[in-house]
Amino acid sequence: MTPPAAKTGAYRRRREKEAVCHCCGATFSFCWRCRCGFRICQTCMLENFWGMSCNGITWQCPDCGDQNGLGNQ
């Protein structure tokens, strides 16, 4: 009997240790991320929150227009 193949998929991929914010260009250990690849740091998110969220539960990606959760629900 052969051993099972290693599982591959999105849930097995590791996140990058550091991410670059698309707004300020700085490198952070945590950035909000959209599926299209857009990343925004917490500071820029707070500064631009008024234009990116209308309900405080989701935020809209400025690149692709997709809705993303803030993880508070």
Side-chain angles (χ1 to χ4, degrees):
M1 183 168 205
T2 59
K7 291 185 178 183
T8 58
Y11 70 96
R12 283 291 192 168
R13 255 183 258 148
R14 289 197 171 202
R15 272 190 297 150
E16 299 161 6
K17 297 221 184 240
E18 292 183 342
V20 178
C21 176
H22 282 78
C23 294
C24 65
T27 303
F28 295 94
S29 59
F30 172 77
C31 281
W32 293 99
R33 176 176 61 93
C34 181
R35 289 179 281 287
C36 72
F38 177 80
R39 294 172 189 256
I40 185 169
C41 68
Q42 183 67 30
T43 305
C44 291
M45 176 65 94
L46 291 174
E47 289 175 4
N48 298 301
F49 194 70
W50 61 272
M52 298 178 80
S53 179
C54 63
N55 59 10
I57 298 172
T58 60
W59 61 278
Q60 186 173 9
C61 175
D63 282 357
C64 68
D66 199 11
Q67 294 287 323
N68 298 288
L70 290 170
N72 57 356
Q73 289 294 314

